[in-house]
Amino acid sequence: MDLRSLRYFVEVVRHGGFARASAHAHASQPTLSKAIAQLEDELGTRLLERGRGGVRLTSAGDVVHRHALAMLAGSTRLREELDALRGLKAGTLRLGLPPLGSSVLFAPLLARYRQQYPHVDIRLLEHGSRRLEQAVLAGEIEVAATLTPVGDGLAHQPVRNEPMLALLPQSHPRAGARRFRLPWLDQAPLILFEEGFALNRLIREACARHGVAPQETVRSAQVDFILALVAAGGGVALLPRLVIEGRSLSGLVPLPLAGNDLRWNMVLAWRRDATLSAAARAWLDLVAGRAPDL
């Protein structure tokens, strides 16, 4: 079996079907279908069950999928070690960034990275932090931006530690306060982010420490929509200060949180046992403000 067929197989599984996988694999649906059919013929077993809702793994497919991930990760590590020998005249930076805060923190740095290493291909995966951590551990990407505490098996370096703000509509009974106390979340619905955002878990844990079980309402990945929803009286949102700065806060009252037990601590994380590629090490050095050791 060849690595390309395994890569096509992994993409179809990851995206739940041939149509969605086609764009990410840069191959037509017939090409993907033919490659997986040949893989099934070679292995003598069906790997995928096809249905109206997409595809799902058979028992044999689950085994092949596990080994395919390991084989592809091994192939990637081989290429990365060779890239290091070439001193970043070629290579790939496989990076994961969450939607929240990346435009402020990482867009300027990525532009600078591109200027310094124009021959390095940047492959970006955008998801919530917890999904990105899983991708690092699975070998899909090398480095991901996430929030502390990071998951087991990951090392990390700091990026930015920010206070959190409570965003209230002007009509909220606590809008005149100097600081917002988490127990007040009993008085209004709480607007959270989509599942997969590490910030949701941090907010829930902080509320639990204060004995609060807020009524969770709408979830969204779009900060502007969350702010508009708060301004319209749809609830209260908790956001890092960095994300709020420079945005229109018409109809909103931002209040710092009382206490210091809920902060937005962004880090870059990688697998603790991994040998990072030269491209990844150069990215970590750039973010840390160090001269890269190539």
Side-chain angles (χ1 to χ4, degrees), residues 76 90 123 170 243:
T76 299
R123 297 184 184 175
Q170 290 178 341
V243 174

Side-chain angles (χ1 to χ4, degrees), residues 18-57:
F18 290 85
R20 289 187 293 272
S22 177
H24 292 81
H26 304 293
S28 66
Q29 292 185 49
T31 298
L32 296 182
S33 183
K34 181 179 179 182
I36 291 176
Q38 290 175 342
L39 189 59
E40 289 177 328
D41 287 343
E42 183 179 351
L43 296 173
T45 185
R46 182 175 292 277
L47 304 178
L48 297 173
E49 294 288 351
R50 298 157 174 81
R52 290 185 177 180
V55 300
R56 65 178 183 84
L57 288 168

